[in-house]
Amino acid sequence: MAIQLHGRWSLEITEAVHSWENRFRIADATVGSGTYPPTIGSMVNAEGPSWALIGEYRESDESPWKPTKMMIDPGLDRVDIEATIGAEDPLPTEDYRDVRWTGRYLDDSLFDIPYRPYAVRRQDLFQMPDGIFETALGSYYLAVRVINRWGLPFTTNHVLDISSGSRADLAMRGIVVDDAWTYAELTALGQSMRGTGVVLGPLEPGAARTVYFKVDVTAAAPRKHEVEFVCHNMAGMADPGHPARRIARQIFVSSTSIDPMSGALVFRVVEGTLRMRLREIAIDRKTGKRGRRRCPAPPARHRPSGQTLEEIRGLLQTLLEGRKVDLCELQRLIANACCPGPCSCPGDHGHGGSVDPWSPSDGTNCYTPFLVLPTRFDFTVTPAAPFPGQHGPVPFEDPWWKVALLIIAAVLLLAGALSEAADLAYHGEDLVIGSLGRVQRDDVDAALCVLDTDRALAFLTTLDAQSDEDFLAAVTALGGDIPLTGPVMTRTEVEAILLLPMDDPQRQVHKSGARTGLTHAIMTGLSPTGHDLATWNIDQLVLETDPAFGEPVSRQGDSGSVWVHTATLRPVALHHSGNTYDDNGGSASLLEDVQTRLGITI
């Protein structure tokens, strides 16, 4: 049996306790190949991409040489750059002391990071152009390509981490390393953690893999930042500070802001500044519209049986008492209590459900990605240091950072344009509302628009609960419309209702929201509350969940829906805000105030 080694090693013979004649060979090495006697204290250096150490013995001078058994053991009390290697003749006691070597790894590092670590967007695993970390997008995965340069395989005990000193230095520079991981994230990235380090093994010498850390660069300066990576052996280390365990690499950070005068995006790195303004984009509306579909409803949570819970409690109690338990059985019971059979529980399991976590969704509809291309834009580049020559830096002798900033500019500009393009690409003509007219944000959050769609219902009509929605407590009929009556309810009438007992049916209202569908609530008061983008000098209607229905009052996307008095079917208020901490409350502008501020009659 041969021991396969990689890279540069020194082999020192420390023991030779044998009954038969022994020798050893080094094969396939670029330096050091040959046959050697096992003389205690002698040393042989060998190196090569992959080479073999072979122990041999023979029973007499006339007998042929035969291979001995071999073992290699770095040991828990040793260092990764040192290993004990033993050869054993076929005798009854296997102590691997017929020949014993101390092998020392001589290369400069246990691992290599062949190119600069790069930024990967967390929401879609998209690699940022040239791997640059842009502060405007905040949090990223820091992707690191690692090659095993050690002479032996990395095991699950070997982890790559960012050193504690580097973490502190990065924090001072505004870069925070986030060590909180979910099961879904680790599953999507195909990695596991031990402490704050990412497990490297199993990884053979010369093989490579990419590992990921989470960083937030929101407060970082636009410049190059150095990150020191360290390889730890979690099974034990006698040399945690050895330089062969550490490699430092730089990451590049850019910073973006908006020029309030021109509306241009301004991108800064240490080498210079780029200004860019998007004029026109092309949208693949066909793909977006064709890929729209209703998101599947989340499956109901499984409730474990009383018997299962008692079994789990019993095993846990036994374990806490210090007695032995079948941990595999405990794991099986807990897993079955959460998800019997193939797991489809909602939440962050990472191994069930039918919705792709990386696909776009507004909570109601799911979409396929669509293509957006910039067709017209303006940009200027200003280098921090003057450049020589007749021509500007783009496109002549173009440095990397100007190309990278151009791509980042396009990415960020398109990201901003996507919110406006989504209705066109995903919803198509049948869901476009119309053209925007007069807007009033302070006091009442309202706007006028000209409807140009066949989706418009008859005036003073709202949708009732629909069969494909989450909440099915219809006011008139499931799948139908609700005809409203006028005029809108006045503030005086609302104030009179608010004097009634809290459980009085006159307090009940409902709305047909774009996100929640038809839901019910009760009017609880008037207060100058609402989202923080407006100033509320006029009291707003405060709404809370109606306990008779237990439905959400508001979710993102419900803004603009009309609250209707359930008993009289008269319009009451225009919804604009939900609670910041849950979906059980919200605020709306009284329609009487909306009419006054916009100068209209409903």
Side-chain angles (χ1 to χ4, degrees):
M1 173 191 300
I3 296 293
Q4 204 71 26
L5 296 171
H6 307 259
R8 292 193 305 133
W9 288 75
S10 71
L11 301 172
E12 180 183 3
I13 299 175
T14 56
E15 291 186 62
V17 183
H18 43 259
S19 301
W20 293 328
E21 184 180 5
N22 291 86
R23 69 180 188 183
F24 67 93
R25 292 189 298 114
I26 294 176
D28 303 322
T30 54
V31 174
S33 288
T35 302
Y36 303 90
T39 304
I40 295 177
S42 64
M43 183 178 296
V44 177
N45 290 340
E47 65 179 270
S50 178
W51 52 275
L53 173 64
I54 306 165
E56 295 180 330
Y57 77 97
R58 64 180 181 181
E59 299 171 5
S60 66
D61 292 345
E62 292 77 22
S63 301
W65 289 98
K66 300 177 181 179
T68 64
K69 293 182 178 179
M70 303 283 289
M71 72 88 186
I72 183 167
D73 180 18
L76 300 184
D77 59 343
R78 300 181 180 275
V79 296
D80 279 335
I81 59 172
E82 183 175 302
T84 298
I85 305 172
E88 177 61 42
D89 298 340
L91 294 175
T93 301
E94 290 191 356
D95 56 10
Y96 290 92
R97 294 181 178 274
D98 290 315
V99 182
R100 180 163 285 197
W101 299 262
T102 295
R104 293 181 176 86
Y105 184 64
L106 302 179
D107 280 338
D108 296 332
S109 181
L110 300 178
F111 64 102
D112 187 21
I113 300 176
Y115 44 81
R116 173 167 45 85
Y118 55 93
V120 173
R121 291 196 318 205
R122 290 178 56 185
Q123 64 269 34
D124 54 11
L125 301 186
F126 174 84
Q127 179 181 333
M128 289 293 290
D130 202 52
I132 294 178
F133 294 80
E134 165 53 47
T135 59
L137 298 184
S139 182
Y140 298 88
Y141 293 126
L142 170 65
V144 188
R145 188 67 172 173
V146 182
I147 300 176
N148 181 1
R149 296 298 190 200
W150 189 31
L152 298 172
F154 284 144
T155 70
T156 53
N157 289 324
H158 290 90
V159 301
L160 187 74
D161 203 346
I162 298 175
S163 69
S164 57
S166 184
R167 286 169 177 261
D169 182 61
L170 290 171
M172 292 177 60
R173 296 169 178 263
I175 300 177
V176 179
V177 182
D178 182 359
D179 294 315
W181 291 88
T182 66
Y183 179 87
E185 286 180 305
L186 295 174
T187 301
L189 297 173
Q191 68 182 30
S192 58
M193 309 293 294
R194 294 190 65 176
T196 59
V198 185
V199 174
L200 291 173
L203 192 67
E204 294 295 321
R209 66 167 299 180
T210 301
V211 301
Y212 301 87
F213 298 90
K214 277 197 293 190
V215 297
D216 191 325
V217 301
T218 304
R223 53 169 294 178
K224 299 174 183 176
H225 298 268
E226 188 170 274
V227 184
E228 183 183 54
F229 299 95
V230 58
C231 178
H232 289 309
N233 189 337
M234 304 301 286
M237 291 180 293
D239 64 336
H242 197 284
R245 293 188 179 279
R246 299 171 183 266
I247 290 180
R249 292 289 185 265
Q250 291 181 331
I251 62 173
F252 294 167
V253 176
S254 66
S255 180
T256 301
S257 61
I258 298 178
D259 185 337
M261 300 297 294
S262 65
L265 284 174
V266 183
F267 305 84
R268 295 180 178 88
V269 291
V270 68
E271 292 85 353
T273 302
L274 180 143
R275 300 172 64 88
M276 187 174 189
R277 185 166 54 177
L278 190 62
R279 298 287 190 180
E280 187 177 276
I281 60 175
I283 305 171
D284 179 13
R285 298 175 64 180
K286 182 180 294 186
T287 298
K289 184 177 177 181
R290 186 170 57 241
R292 185 180 73 242
R293 65 194 185 281
R294 190 79 173 182
C295 290
R301 286 190 180 275
H302 169 65
R303 297 186 180 276
S305 66
Q307 180 181 354
T308 299
L309 291 177
E310 284 302 318
E311 290 183 73
I312 294 174
R313 289 191 190 99
L315 286 175
L316 289 175
Q317 184 62 39
T318 302
L319 182 64
L320 291 174
E321 292 172 355
R323 292 181 287 160
K324 291 183 178 181
V325 300
D326 187 342
L327 294 178
C328 293
E329 175 64 10
L330 178 61
Q331 181 185 37
R332 185 192 66 78
L333 287 171
I334 293 175
N336 187 61
C338 172
C339 303
C343 185
S344 60
C345 293
D348 200 9
H349 296 286
H351 55 282
S354 55
V355 179
D356 183 354
W358 307 112
S359 293
S361 170
D362 59 14
T364 300
N365 292 312
C366 295
Y367 309 102
T368 56
F370 65 93
L371 184 65
V372 178
L373 293 175
T375 54
R376 291 180 58 207
F377 56 89
D378 302 329
F379 74 91
T380 58
V381 176
T382 305
F387 57 87
Q390 176 183 358
H391 303 290
V394 177
F396 301 97
E397 298 183 355
D398 189 30
W400 69 268
W401 64 273
K402 299 183 184 70
V403 175
L405 284 186
L406 276 172
I407 300 173
I408 290 177
V411 169
L412 292 180
L413 284 170
L414 289 177
L418 287 183
S419 61
E420 299 181 19
D423 275 345
L424 292 175
Y426 287 145
H427 297 155
E429 295 86 348
D430 59 332
L431 291 183
V432 174
I433 296 174
S435 55
L436 184 65
R438 194 157 66 256
V439 176
Q440 173 70 37
R441 169 155 288 180
D442 293 338
D443 297 333
V444 295
D445 190 358
L448 296 177
C449 67
V450 177
L451 296 179
D452 56 5
T453 169
D454 57 7
R455 286 276 303 175
L457 298 175
F459 195 60
L460 288 179
T461 304
T462 63
L463 283 176
D464 208 332
Q466 305 296 299
S467 59
D468 59 349
E469 294 175 348
D470 296 332
F471 308 103
L472 305 178
V475 174
T476 57
L478 188 65
D481 300 336
I482 304 173
L484 308 185
T485 60
V488 302
M489 189 167 285
T490 66
R491 175 177 290 268
T492 301
E493 291 174 304
V494 171
E495 289 174 343
I497 291 175
L498 294 175
L499 295 176
L500 299 173
M502 193 63 69
D503 59 354
D504 193 293
Q506 289 296 317
R507 287 180 175 263
Q508 292 180 330
V509 290
H510 63 268
K511 74 171 188 339
S512 181
R515 180 73 181 276
T516 55
L518 188 114
T519 58
H520 300 72
I522 58 174
M523 299 183 288
T524 60
L526 292 169
S527 174
T529 58
H531 59 73
D532 56 8
L533 298 179
T535 301
W536 307 101
N537 296 312
I538 299 176
D539 283 346
Q540 309 295 299
L541 180 64
V542 180
L543 303 125
E544 294 182 5
T545 296
D546 188 338
F549 296 92
E551 299 164 343
V553 171
S554 174
R555 289 178 181 167
Q556 288 185 344
D558 283 347
S559 297
S561 52
V562 175
W563 286 103
V564 178
H565 189 234
T566 302
T568 62
L569 297 184
R570 292 173 61 191
V572 180
L574 187 67
H575 185 75
H576 56 66
S577 300
N579 284 350
T580 58
Y581 48 87
D582 59 30
D583 57 12
N584 295 326
S587 303
S589 299
L590 291 176
L591 285 172
E592 184 182 56
D593 295 329
V594 173
Q595 291 183 130
T596 302
R597 283 292 185 270
L598 293 180
I600 61 174
T601 299
I602 301 175

